[in-house]
Amino acid sequence: MPAITNLQDFPVCIVYRGSTQTIATGSTEVEIAWDSEETDSDVSNPTPMHDTSTNNGRIYTRTAGIYAFHVQIRWAVNATGERNITLKKNGNQIGRHNKESDNGADDLIMQAMVVNVMAADDYFNVSVTQRSGGDLLIRSGPAACRAAVWRIG
């Protein structure tokens, strides 16, 4: 693996929800569709790490290495039930975060992170479930619902 000699050489992709996404109550996992990007850069490979229209739930690692994957989900206010975030590599679970709803007065913000060895063209994605008894929104905007993938080695 070539040495990273300049911070600009690090592959990095930061995506977010530009609009809300409705998640139905129940046990069926729903993949988060990342419809907006802050940055998508891998100077060693011209193929983007993310596409906002095709397979937009996936963030690809175009260059092999060790990557960090961080996700933040902001759920709309609701005092009932459990929320779950599942982090995946190539569609298989590699991390999970579960949380019971809070006081019902504020949105619930959840974060999860994994570090994983990735081959060229592997991908990360995230799915969620919730059990509030009704549909629940995931908030939109770069400060509310986002994912970041960056190479660390």
Side-chain angles (χ1 to χ4, degrees):
M1 183 176 345
I4 297 174
T5 58
N6 186 326
L7 188 57
Q8 294 174 340
D9 293 341
F10 279 91
V12 62
C13 183
I14 302 171
V15 296
Y16 63 96
R17 287 285 313 162
S19 59
T20 58
Q21 183 172 348
T22 302
I23 309 300
T25 192
S27 59
T28 302
E29 289 187 345
V30 177
E31 183 177 71
I32 300 298
W34 308 109
D35 59 4
S36 302
E37 296 179 346
E38 281 186 25
T39 189
D40 182 353
S41 174
D42 183 345
V43 296
S44 65
N45 190 315
T47 305
M49 295 173 70
H50 178 260
D51 186 312
T52 57
S53 58
T54 303
N55 290 324
N56 65 354
R58 298 177 179 183
I59 303 172
Y60 290 88
T61 55
R62 300 300 185 188
T63 302
I66 301 170
Y67 284 81
F69 178 36
H70 178 266
V71 174
Q72 175 176 295
I73 304 292
R74 183 173 181 166
W75 297 91
V77 173
N78 186 295
T80 306
E82 183 181 70
R83 317 289 181 265
N84 303 294
I85 300 173
T86 303
L87 304 180
K88 298 180 177 185
K89 172 185 175 180
N90 299 329
N92 299 306
Q93 180 178 326
I94 56 172
R96 188 168 174 88
H97 179 61
N98 305 325
K99 184 161 177 51
E100 288 295 323
S101 61
D102 282 342
N103 57 19
D106 300 306
D107 286 354
L108 176 63
I109 299 172
M110 297 174 65
Q111 297 186 34
M113 183 174 170
V114 294
V115 173
N116 213 289
V117 175
M118 303 292 282
D121 295 324
D122 280 349
Y123 67 89
F124 288 112
N125 63 319
V126 60
S127 62
V128 296
T129 59
Q130 62 89 11
R131 292 175 180 85
S132 68
D135 290 353
L136 199 55
L137 290 179
I138 288 181
R139 301 289 191 200
S140 62
C145 187
R146 64 187 290 130
V149 171
W150 65 101
R151 184 172 160 210
I152 59 175

